[in-house]
Amino acid sequence: MHWPPWSSPSPPLEAEVQTVDTSSSTPLSSWPSPSIPTTWSAYLTPDVLLPTAILTSAILISTRLYRSYLRRIPRAATISPSFWHKRSLFGTVTSVGDGDGFRLFHTPGGRLAGWGWFPGRRIPHGKALKDKTISIRLAGIDAPECAHFGRPTQPGAQEALEFLTAYIQHRRVRAYVYRKDHYERAVATVYVRRWGLRRDVGYQMLRRGLATVYEAKSGAEFGALEERYRGVEAWARRKGRGIWAVKEGFESPREYKERMKGGQGKGKG
């Protein structure tokens, strides 16, 4: 009996069942199996070699770019010899030690590489900076000596230290490195952006009479700036700026170190 009574009768259930013809089905055992090359010639075709060459080249180029431009250098001792007189280091000044030296936290690639804003690319502070900064010695200049090794502070040293600290500390600078000195410092010409202009830090020290041109008998580094440095030093001397305001008894940083050398150890150059 069908329901509801007014509906047309349904066909028998057996009519809905269709017979599946399995006579033409392909047995699983007859399906084609994957073809595995058994000779090297199969791997030497262009459709295999070209993608492999592209991938390998991309890996090698990426590795070289990282090592050359994006690998962070933690200390002066780890600077590659290929950098001297050829490359520069970009980073943030974390501390200033005296009138011609400071510490740099290397940030290769700068903000474009995520430094300062990307997670894991923050500049550490305090004790976390230990063994992670490069000691930089400004090339071509000699600032008055601060007190160290039991020696008194040379006149003008505090003014040089205060100016350099205010001028570059916590700022991003670029250091063109020349060599490593015997105190494990990278001797470099350093530039900083001030009011949108690129400033030579050593030149600015000389211009304000806060340093002299480096006069050591050996090891002096100027890049190609010696003539420019001597010119601005002569200008500051004529104007009586900074240390040149002393009319009598003037003693240059080099003369001061030579005088203090006897019996008290060797001061930093």
Side-chain angles (χ1 to χ4, degrees):
M1 179 178 179
H2 58 273
W3 187 263
W6 56 83
S7 64
S8 57
S10 300
L13 184 60
E14 291 78 10
E16 297 179 358
V17 179
Q18 299 180 359
T19 304
V20 178
D21 184 9
T22 60
S23 60
S24 61
S25 299
T26 304
L28 293 177
S29 59
S30 64
W31 286 7
S33 59
S35 177
I36 302 177
T38 57
T39 61
W40 280 107
S41 60
Y43 296 100
L44 300 179
T45 58
D47 58 332
V48 174
L49 289 178
L50 186 59
T52 303
I54 293 174
L55 179 61
T56 303
S57 299
I59 293 173
L60 292 175
I61 293 172
S62 298
T63 302
R64 184 176 180 83
L65 287 174
Y66 171 78
R67 290 180 176 177
S68 299
Y69 300 101
L70 296 177
R71 180 174 61 89
R72 211 186 77 77
I73 299 173
R75 300 179 305 280
T78 60
I79 297 176
S80 170
S82 63
F83 271 63
W84 305 125
H85 284 275
K86 297 178 182 178
R87 298 283 300 279
S88 65
L89 301 175
F90 185 77
T92 297
V93 176
T94 58
S95 64
V96 178
D98 53 29
D100 49 31
F102 61 91
R103 289 198 164 270
L104 175 77
F105 185 87
H106 184 215
T107 56
R111 294 187 66 83
L112 290 176
W115 287 106
W117 59 271
F118 193 77
R121 288 279 188 168
R122 302 286 182 179
I123 299 173
H125 300 280
K127 294 181 179 179
L129 283 168
K130 185 179 179 182
D131 297 327
K132 295 180 180 178
T133 57
I134 302 169
S135 182
I136 300 288
R137 170 66 161 85
L138 290 174
I141 72 167
D142 208 2
E145 292 287 296
C146 292
H148 52 67
F149 302 116
R151 302 175 182 180
T153 299
Q154 185 180 4
Q158 188 62 32
E159 290 82 356
L161 173 61
E162 290 176 356
F163 170 79
L164 189 61
T165 300
Y167 202 65
I168 66 172
Q169 186 157 351
H170 304 313
R171 290 183 176 273
R172 293 189 292 273
V173 300
R174 185 170 295 280
Y176 291 85
V177 293
Y178 302 131
R179 66 177 178 86
K180 182 178 64 177
D181 71 5
H182 52 288
Y183 293 106
E184 295 294 315
R185 301 175 297 183
V187 180
T189 298
V190 178
Y191 293 88
V192 64
R193 290 279 179 184
R194 299 286 301 188
W195 304 105
L197 299 175
R198 189 170 183 255
R199 301 291 191 183
D200 178 344
V201 178
Y203 180 90
Q204 296 302 321
M205 295 286 292
L206 292 169
R207 188 173 185 273
R208 288 166 173 77
L210 298 174
T212 66
V213 171
Y214 194 77
E215 296 289 0
K217 296 179 180 179
S218 62
E221 290 283 358
F222 292 92
L225 298 170
E226 182 173 2
E227 184 177 347
R228 185 169 187 257
Y229 278 14
R230 292 193 182 280
V232 72
E233 181 195 57
W235 179 85
R237 190 197 298 251
R238 290 195 303 271
K239 295 291 185 179
R241 288 196 159 195
I243 58 177
W244 304 113
V246 177
K247 301 300 182 183
E248 296 182 3
F250 172 78
E251 187 177 41
S252 71
R254 175 51 51 186
E255 292 169 340
Y256 174 86
K257 283 178 278 196
E258 290 294 333
R259 180 169 64 84
M260 289 290 173
K261 187 185 298 183
Q264 298 187 44
K266 195 172 183 179
K268 288 188 177 182

